[in-house]
Amino acid sequence: MMQKFKLLLLFVLVTSISCAQKSPRKEAKGMISKTTIIADYGSPSVKGRTIWGGLVPYGKVWRAGANENTTVSFDKNVTIGGKELKAGKYGFFIIPNKDSDWVAIFSSVNNAWGSNKYSATNDVVRVKIAPTFVADVQEGMQFNVGKSSLDFAWEKARLSIPVK
């Protein structure tokens, strides 16, 4: 009986370690004006890798996180970069570009895995955002709801998506 218990305990331990998420799910929640905004995302780490133009290629749609799609929810209608977006939950994607503005995309498809099945026909809002690059490395990717923007930080890149 004790032998079976030890084997069961070992199995649970091995399963827990092997199934632990390397890019944990995180949530950024806040308010802009009277609108609640929630960003739900898998947070990968830099781990010494080349992110922009390496792990995340330039000029291609990226799911803006790890594992399941990143989603952004609004409980009221908002304006994103001058474009209206109705209350709801959206898939969120980014197209990083090497020498020009990046593109932030809010898609009607919010339950996909990665960007494999991404289609521009599902885009609800697309806005160009000028990235900024800083000296400090943000090791774990993160979103934050600021006073008037949804903010993204990973590695040395920062995006601030205006929300009204």
Side-chain angles (χ1 to χ4, degrees):
M1 182 68 172
M2 187 57 128
Q3 185 70 3
K4 286 182 180 178
F5 177 74
K6 287 180 182 177
L7 283 173
L8 177 63
L9 187 60
L10 180 62
F11 174 77
V12 169
L13 179 64
V14 168
T15 303
S16 296
I17 291 170
S18 65
C19 293
Q21 283 192 343
K22 294 180 181 177
S23 299
R25 281 315 274 183
K26 293 193 175 184
E27 182 180 277
K29 184 175 182 179
M31 293 189 80
I32 295 178
S33 297
K34 295 182 180 182
T35 302
T36 299
I37 300 169
I38 302 170
D40 179 58
Y41 59 100
S43 177
S45 295
V46 174
K47 298 179 189 171
R49 300 176 288 186
T50 299
I51 301 302
W52 310 114
L55 181 66
V56 179
Y58 286 121
K60 294 191 176 188
V61 173
W62 173 58
R63 65 181 150 196
N67 305 321
E68 298 92 24
N69 275 114
T70 294
T71 61
V72 180
S73 303
F74 306 92
D75 71 342
K76 294 181 178 62
N77 296 349
V78 294
T79 302
I80 304 284
K83 299 178 181 181
E84 289 192 39
L85 187 62
K86 294 194 180 297
K89 182 178 179 180
Y90 298 91
F92 182 74
F93 300 90
I94 294 172
I95 302 173
N97 291 305
K98 185 173 181 165
D99 296 317
S100 62
D101 288 348
W102 290 16
V103 180
I105 303 167
F106 293 85
S107 170
S108 61
V109 176
N110 62 28
N111 61 353
W113 179 271
S115 54
N116 299 341
K117 295 186 179 183
Y118 168 82
S119 173
T121 60
N122 298 314
D123 291 358
V124 180
V125 167
R126 264 184 177 237
V127 292
K128 290 184 177 183
I129 305 291
T132 56
F133 293 90
V134 298
D136 297 333
V137 171
Q138 173 63 46
E139 178 64 30
M141 191 193 83
Q142 75 176 30
F143 283 84
N144 182 54
V145 179
K147 290 183 180 183
S148 60
S149 61
L150 176 63
D151 300 322
F152 167 88
W154 195 31
E155 201 249 1
K156 295 181 178 186
R158 306 294 184 265
L159 288 178
S160 188
I161 302 152
V163 178
K164 290 184 182 179

